[in-house]
Amino acid sequence: MWQSFLQEEALFLMSVKFFQGLSKKNLFFIVISLIYIMAIFLLSDSSVSSDLSRYNPYSLLHIPLYGILMFLLYLSFNPDTLRSSNEKKITVSLCFPIIISVTVAILDEIHQIYIPFREASIGDIFLDIIGIGLVAFLILTCKKKKIRFNPLYKSKIS
């Protein structure tokens, strides 16, 4: 009994430490990411998706949709890595957003199985992964060239 109490207490303390370590930027992007994910699931269940399918015959809107999700999740995990030039830190900070984005893509397709007049497609998951990969590639490329995402950033050169 005491062992389970101690485990619960340790888990509680770890979660408190996690939330104390988050900045306001982290919380902002986490909330925006969660709203975006909910919008993906809600839109896949609405009539809007069937209206959009007329203008999107090859499901190419999946690429920017999940690219934006990837970028929001990247900012959620560590918004300060955009200013960092540490390549290892950037690569590690890309792992969780990639995993979460791909998981959301797969879960959205599974969700579509249960929606009337909708069907799941592995091709859509591949398009989602292309969008996720493009954003991850752009983040890594920009960081290697030390291009800053912040338009207010003043380089030492100028």
Side-chain angles (χ1 to χ4, degrees), residues 124-140:
D124 287 349
I125 295 174
F126 286 127
L127 289 172
D128 300 339
I129 292 171
I130 288 171
I132 294 164
L134 282 173
V135 170
F137 176 75
L138 286 173
I139 290 170
L140 286 174

Side-chain angles (χ1 to χ4, degrees), residues 35-91:
I35 290 170
Y36 194 81
I37 290 169
M38 287 189 311
I40 289 173
F41 281 93
L42 289 174
L43 286 174
S44 70
D45 196 10
S46 72
S47 63
V48 174
S49 61
S50 61
D51 294 339
L52 279 176
S53 65
R54 285 184 274 165
Y55 305 107
N56 188 26
Y58 301 109
S59 300
L60 294 178
L61 285 177
H62 283 260
I63 295 172
L65 184 72
Y66 281 88
I68 292 169
L69 175 63
M70 168 63 191
F71 190 66
L72 288 173
L73 287 170
Y74 175 74
L75 292 175
S76 297
F77 278 92
N78 197 351
D80 297 329
T81 58
L82 293 177
R83 288 189 219 106
S84 173
S85 60
N86 185 347
E87 191 173 328
K88 186 175 183 180
K89 186 175 182 181
I90 294 164
T91 308

